[in-house]
Amino acid sequence: MRAARLIRLVLLLQDRRAMTAAELAAELEVSERTVARDVQALSEAGIPVYADRGRAGGYRLVGGYRTRLTGLGRSEAEALFLSGVPGALRDMGLADAASAAQLKVSAALLPELRSAPDTAAQRFHLDAPGWWQPPETPELLPAVAEAVWDDLRILVTYRRGDGAEVERSLDPYGLVLKAGTWYLAARPAGADRPRVYRVSRFRSVTAPGERFTRDESFDLPAFWTDQAAAFARSILRAQIHLRLSPAGVRALRHVTDREAAAEALAAASPPDADGWVTTTLAVESEEVAYTQLLALGPEAVVHEPTSLREALAAAAERMSANYRS
């Protein structure tokens, strides 16, 4: 514990050139007396820490003592500090490790590159959760993240979509944060490839200490891209036949699945004299399509299925009656 604090003290002085005892105490979360003892220990170990006495005094490293990463250019240094996602690191229990790593890199940069962290942080920020929904931080996420990092097999109790709870032995390959929701790519015992599990559905996670052999050919970004595309295709189980006005054509991608909208418009008939087109749209269900197409109002007319056409017509009549009254 103390060794880590001593290293952090040196890195702070490398990064900021000079700091008071109070500033160091606040950064290290210790007393000023502890800072003085740590500085003395560093001096005895040969680290050239110099103490300036007086009201404006403090601590600094003598003679430009530092380790430098001379191979980094400014754009590379700025890009390096974009690689962390603070909220995600905090959720996984890695915030302290990430902070220490960034401090080490920052302290080792050449003086002219010192502003790279601030330059990146003030220009780019990732807010992963979607609008109108609170971020989801599963209680067991840190345990899962630790197993992913150390290639540890885990035994889990998982609640499926139908509500049933099952026990699984999983080889956890990687975590994905999608629109504020955490997913785990893991290979179940006996399976030939990983599957996707929603972390919030884990009811228990234990790691007996057994390591698994990771398939080095596994590519998490590529796997997730394929899984996301397959999921989007799998839920579009129904089709509707409809006409769209020019305004409806422009708005379709905003009210339904974008890929499905693009495919429907690509296959649409040529516009008639008024600009209307006829096409077939893949949807999740009639119930979902009913909600989506209500947003288009008079810019869409459903021909089939008849049940959806009648439901939308009844909604239009009720809306008209509401406004007349």
Side-chain angles (χ1 to χ4, degrees):
M1 184 71 177
R2 190 191 184 197
R5 189 176 70 243
L6 292 174
I7 294 173
R8 184 172 171 82
L9 191 156
V10 173
L11 291 172
L12 283 168
L13 293 178
Q14 284 188 196
D15 188 38
R16 305 184 190 180
R17 298 190 179 183
M19 297 180 69
T20 67
E23 290 171 339
L24 284 169
E27 287 282 354
L28 300 173
E29 299 181 351
V30 296
S31 68
E32 293 185 30
R33 182 171 295 181
T34 298
V35 169
R37 287 197 297 266
D38 286 349
V39 168
Q40 182 178 354
L42 289 170
S43 297
E44 293 173 353
I47 305 298
V49 182
Y50 178 77
D52 290 319
R53 304 298 179 183
R55 180 175 298 180
Y59 298 100
R60 61 184 175 86
L61 294 170
V62 179
Y65 179 89
R66 68 182 65 258
T67 299
R68 293 178 173 177
L69 293 179
T70 56
L72 285 179
R74 169 162 290 278
S75 61
E76 294 171 321
E78 290 171 352
L80 179 63
F81 284 91
L82 286 176
S83 61
V85 184
L89 292 169
R90 182 179 60 252
D91 292 346
M92 290 188 291
L94 299 175
D96 290 342
S99 176
Q102 286 196 345
L103 178 61
K104 290 177 182 179
V105 174
S106 179
L109 290 174
L110 290 168
E112 59 268 25
L113 301 180
R114 288 271 186 77
S115 63
D118 291 336
T119 299
Q122 294 305 319
R123 284 164 175 78
F124 301 98
H125 174 70
L126 175 61
D127 184 9
W131 290 104
W132 305 296
Q133 58 183 3
E136 179 187 73
T137 305
E139 180 181 351
L140 296 174
L141 178 61
V144 175
E146 183 177 356
V148 169
W149 191 254
D150 292 334
D151 291 341
L152 292 175
R153 182 164 291 143
I154 55 177
L155 302 177
V156 305
T157 302
Y158 185 75
R159 180 175 56 80
R160 300 188 312 199
D162 59 8
E165 293 191 357
V166 295
E167 294 183 350
R168 292 285 185 268
S169 174
L170 301 176
D171 294 346
Y173 271 69
L175 283 162
V176 175
L177 177 61
K178 170 69 172 178
T181 301
W182 286 95
Y183 297 91
L184 173 69
R187 185 177 61 195
D192 58 354
R193 66 192 306 271
R195 299 173 185 172
V196 176
Y197 299 84
R198 187 163 174 162
V199 178
S200 62
R201 291 182 177 173
F202 286 125
R203 292 295 172 259
S204 67
V205 176
T206 59
E210 177 185 0
R211 293 184 180 274
F212 67 91
T213 302
R214 175 179 286 266
D215 180 359
E216 295 301 329
S217 66
F218 177 77
D219 184 330
L220 180 60
F223 170 81
W224 180 258
T225 298
D226 291 343
Q227 289 293 306
F231 174 75
R233 289 192 299 269
S234 69
I235 64 173
L236 300 178
R237 302 186 181 93
Q239 291 187 330
I240 60 174
H241 190 61
L242 76 165
R243 294 177 66 234
L244 296 166
S245 71
V249 168
R250 293 191 296 270
L252 185 63
R253 68 187 183 92
H254 298 296
V255 301
T256 188
D257 180 81
R258 288 183 175 238
E259 292 293 330
E263 292 177 4
L265 295 177
S269 67
D272 62 17
D274 296 321
W276 287 67
V277 300
T278 301
T279 189
T280 300
L281 175 69
V283 295
E284 184 175 347
S285 65
E286 284 191 31
E287 292 76 12
V288 172
Y290 170 81
T291 302
Q292 293 172 338
L293 294 178
L294 276 178
L296 294 181
E299 308 305 329
V301 178
V302 172
H303 293 304
E304 293 178 348
T306 303
S307 55
L308 177 58
R309 176 185 175 88
E310 292 175 348
L312 288 168
E317 290 179 0
R318 292 197 304 273
M319 184 178 295
S320 177
N322 289 339
Y323 279 103
R324 285 198 303 269
S325 63

